[in-house]
Amino acid sequence: MSTLAAGADIDHRGTPFDQDQLSELLSALQDSATGLPVIGKAWLDGATFDGVADFAAVTFTARAGFNGAVFRDYARFREATFARDAQFRAVEFKAEANFENATFTGAGLFTNARFHGPARFVNAEHSGLTTFTWARFEDWAEFERSSFTRAEFSASRFASVVSFSQAAFGQTAALGPLLCADVVDLTEAVFEAPVTLEIAAQAVDCQRTRWESTAELRLRHADLNLRDAVLSAPTAVTAHAAAFVVLGLLLPESLLNSQDPSVHVTSVQGVDASHLVLTDTDLSDCQFTGAFSLDQIHIEGRTTFAPVPEGIALRRYVWPIRWSQRRTLAEEHHWRAHTAGQPASGQLPPAPRLWRTGPQHGDPALTPDPEDVAAIYRQLRKAFEDAKNEPGAADFYYGEMEMRRHSHSETSRGERGLLHGYWLLSGYGLRASRAIGWLSAAMLTTILLLMGFGLPQHSPKQEATGVVPASGGPVTFTLDKDDPQNPTKDRLTGKRFEKALNVTLNSVVFRSSGQDLTTAGTYIEMTSRLIEPTLLALAVLGIRGRIKR
């Protein structure tokens, strides 16, 4: 040790160190001016370290090799500086590994590294290529506020939370594929270049994350939170159909408890959605309130929205109601659950007969009102219409009209009455079966009324009277017709039904049958000629809304 000085090269490959031996070695390498160890080339591959391995504030001026090394206790590289490549391939950290505030000027190579305890890379600066390919993290990992010029986390597996909060990624083209059994935290992270993120995780938190160029998020199993994210260029979120493959090898997903690979977007609040593309995602619990330019969002593929409750329920415990199936927004569920006095449920998805409760359930100030929900439906309807998805847009039009019908601040009482009638008769022109049902009932009523009161007992007879002049000239006849008489018996006969049906069918197409009618029958026909063509038009409108492309 007496021959060593600051900046000297060391070669201790395969050497076992205890805490005192390592401390003695580093003391011999201290710089007299700073009192901190300075090492030139370091060959420590395969070395084992018992006790605390304290490399804090050490400067490695040349290549630092720890390939295959084993740290049996706390490994402390806090504020260490690696001026050249730092090689930690196949290294094993049995306890905590702390690289907080470390500086990697060259490459930081952690391929096949294994971290049994917490891994701390907080506020570390990575100027060169940093690789964690096939690395395994058995505990939580922190890369918060770190700066990466280029980073690779391909095939890395995290058994607990991994945080990239406030991290900056410069020229990183791909992050992942990586697997996380818990949350991948990307809050306030910044991606400066075009990037592809491939992540299979329980949740991916991208609150206030900023993408300054194009980005694609290929996800599996995850709940994705995009609240207040900044999208400066087109950003696509896609549910990846199959497990990720790295160098021809399948990335195993045994760490994940979920068997459902679908991606649930939980929030786009505060996002400028004009750059957002969602493909094959589940939006059942997605909150849209506060998002911008929702009319320009792109929703593609097999996208799922929340359904209405199933079965028949009592409305306010008075009469039964069955909800018409359609795609709905989470905000409508939250409002209806709140107004119905439904108890909060932590179950997702909730019971199929219930509305989904929101995260602020029970607080009316934080629960969206019908006016807010109507505005969201309106913008999403336009987005679907612009994409030529008319059937999809129809559900959002229905939701918009529902919210207008229930709004007491922006919809007048008279307008609400009209909307109630429009909803009752035809489901806002979108429920053909409802309109056909009312049309059938109206026609049946018309037939029964005509048979009972509208058709005369007998067809009126014509009488002719005339005057024959004495001169033998022309004869002039005046024809008169008796008033139709109401029937007195045998009103419900097959012949009368045929006549009533003829009058009714002509009324549906707004034609006159030419049938002799009583005074009451005339008014019945006039009424049916007003109501039934309208109901027929609503039925046609409902069919068109479902098949139009």
Side-chain angles (χ1 to χ4, degrees):
M1 297 288 184
S2 60
T3 60
L4 293 178
D9 297 339
I10 60 173
D11 187 348
H12 290 282
R13 283 174 279 193
T15 302
F17 284 92
D18 61 24
Q19 187 170 335
D20 293 335
Q21 290 171 332
L22 179 61
S23 178
E24 183 180 354
L25 173 63
L26 295 178
S27 296
L29 296 166
Q30 285 183 355
D31 183 274
S32 59
T34 63
L36 299 175
V38 178
I39 303 175
K41 293 180 180 178
W43 285 278
L44 293 166
D45 305 282
T48 58
F49 299 89
D50 291 311
V52 175
D54 193 351
F55 288 90
V58 172
T59 298
F60 296 86
T61 61
R63 177 258 192 199
F66 291 86
N67 297 322
V70 177
F71 294 84
R72 301 187 187 280
D73 206 329
Y74 181 28
R76 191 166 183 256
F77 287 85
R78 192 175 189 276
E79 298 182 356
T81 299
F82 299 90
R84 296 290 187 269
D85 291 353
Q87 299 179 3
F88 289 85
R89 298 185 184 94
V91 70
E92 190 166 7
F93 296 95
K94 296 287 188 177
E96 180 177 338
N98 189 336
F99 288 83
E100 186 172 354
N101 293 301
T103 300
F104 296 84
T105 303
L109 308 176
F110 292 84
T111 303
N112 289 312
R114 185 160 185 174
F115 299 81
H116 294 272
R120 292 178 56 85
F121 289 81
V122 177
N123 207 35
E125 183 176 346
H126 303 261
S127 300
L129 172 65
T130 301
T131 64
F132 286 88
T133 305
W134 293 103
R136 294 186 64 179
F137 297 80
E138 305 296 336
D139 210 325
W140 49 263
E142 291 182 330
F143 297 88
E144 297 176 359
R145 300 185 299 281
S146 290
S147 174
F148 298 94
T149 298
R150 290 184 297 156
E152 293 182 1
F153 285 83
S154 181
S156 295
R157 289 185 287 175
F158 299 86
S160 186
V161 175
V162 53
S163 176
F164 295 96
S165 178
Q166 300 182 50
F169 297 87
Q171 301 304 312
T172 299
L175 186 65
L178 63 83
L179 179 71
C180 180
D182 208 316
V183 179
V184 177
D185 185 358
L186 291 167
T187 58
E188 300 187 47
V190 179
F191 294 88
E192 299 174 1
V195 64
T196 299
L197 286 78
E198 295 183 315
I199 301 172
Q202 178 179 325
V204 179
D205 193 348
C206 293
Q207 293 189 72
R208 298 180 299 281
T209 304
R210 188 167 79 248
W211 284 278
E212 296 183 351
S213 187
T214 56
E216 182 177 4
L217 283 70
R218 301 172 185 168
L219 307 178
R220 287 177 57 78
H221 301 276
D223 291 342
L224 173 64
N225 186 355
L226 287 171
R227 182 164 187 166
D228 297 320
V230 179
L231 314 181
S232 302
T235 301
V237 176
T238 305
H240 201 267
F244 296 114
V245 176
V246 180
L247 299 177
L249 299 175
L250 196 68
L251 185 62
E253 298 181 343
S254 55
L255 281 178
L256 293 169
N257 293 325
S258 171
Q259 300 299 316
D260 179 14
S262 60
V263 176
H264 301 258
V265 181
T266 60
S267 177
V268 295
Q269 294 173 293
V271 174
D272 183 349
S274 60
H275 291 305
L276 182 59
V277 181
L278 303 175
T279 304
D280 295 339
T281 54
D282 189 328
L283 303 179
S284 299
D285 293 292
C286 183
Q287 297 184 66
F288 291 90
T289 307
F292 306 98
S293 305
L294 277 175
D295 59 327
Q296 299 177 49
I297 193 172
H298 297 274
I299 299 177
E300 302 174 352
R302 297 180 298 275
T303 301
T304 304
F305 287 87
V308 298
E310 299 176 357
I312 298 176
L314 291 179
R315 169 178 263 189
R316 298 190 184 278
Y317 308 99
V318 177
W319 67 84
I321 185 170
R322 180 181 180 276
W323 298 101
S324 176
Q325 286 299 314
R326 59 186 171 92
R327 290 178 288 184
T328 55
L329 298 180
E331 282 86 350
E332 181 180 350
H333 274 258
H334 301 166
W335 174 78
R336 289 190 182 273
H338 173 72
T339 55
Q342 187 175 303
S345 172
Q347 179 184 355
L348 284 178
R353 290 179 175 271
L354 299 176
W355 296 100
R356 297 168 184 247
T357 56
Q360 293 86 26
H361 183 67
D363 188 342
L366 297 177
T367 300
D369 54 34
E371 294 77 26
D372 296 328
V373 183
I376 300 172
Y377 272 124
R378 187 177 304 115
Q379 293 184 75
L380 290 177
R381 171 174 61 84
K382 183 179 183 300
F384 273 67
E385 289 173 346
D386 291 344
K388 307 302 180 184
N389 186 350
E390 295 291 342
D395 279 345
F396 293 117
Y397 173 74
Y398 193 105
E400 176 189 350
M401 299 297 282
E402 276 286 273
M403 294 299 98
R404 287 181 57 197
R405 183 166 69 92
H406 289 285
S407 172
H408 288 262
S409 61
E410 293 190 358
T411 308
S412 65
R413 178 176 296 181
E415 187 177 353
R416 290 200 305 274
L418 289 174
L419 290 174
H420 270 82
Y422 195 18
W423 163 76
L424 184 64
L425 291 177
S426 64
Y428 310 112
L430 295 173
R431 299 295 182 261
S433 59
R434 193 178 303 181
I436 291 172
W438 282 109
L439 175 60
S440 301
M443 292 174 63
L444 179 60
T445 301
T446 301
I447 291 172
L448 293 176
L449 290 175
L450 287 174
M451 292 175 67
F453 309 100
L455 296 175
Q457 182 72 30
H458 303 287
S459 297
K461 297 179 179 180
Q462 296 180 344
E463 296 180 356
T465 60
V467 177
V468 180
S471 60
V475 177
T476 301
F477 294 95
T478 301
L479 297 178
D480 196 7
K481 190 175 183 179
D482 294 337
D483 292 333
Q485 301 296 316
N486 285 321
T488 57
K489 59 180 180 178
D490 297 330
R491 301 187 183 201
L492 303 179
T493 64
K495 186 174 182 180
R496 291 176 63 80
F497 173 80
E498 184 179 352
K499 291 181 178 180
L501 178 62
N502 180 54
V503 173
T504 303
L505 291 177
N506 278 279
S507 297
V508 171
V509 294
F510 210 73
R511 293 179 52 191
S512 175
S513 65
Q515 172 68 45
D516 293 316
L517 301 173
T518 65
T519 302
T522 301
Y523 286 105
I524 293 170
E525 183 187 34
M526 291 171 59
T527 303
S528 66
R529 289 179 65 188
L530 175 65
I531 294 175
E532 291 163 9
T534 303
L535 293 173
L536 178 63
L538 291 174
V540 173
L541 184 64
I543 296 173
R544 180 179 179 273
R546 288 299 175 184
I547 64 174
K548 182 181 178 183
R549 290 293 187 271

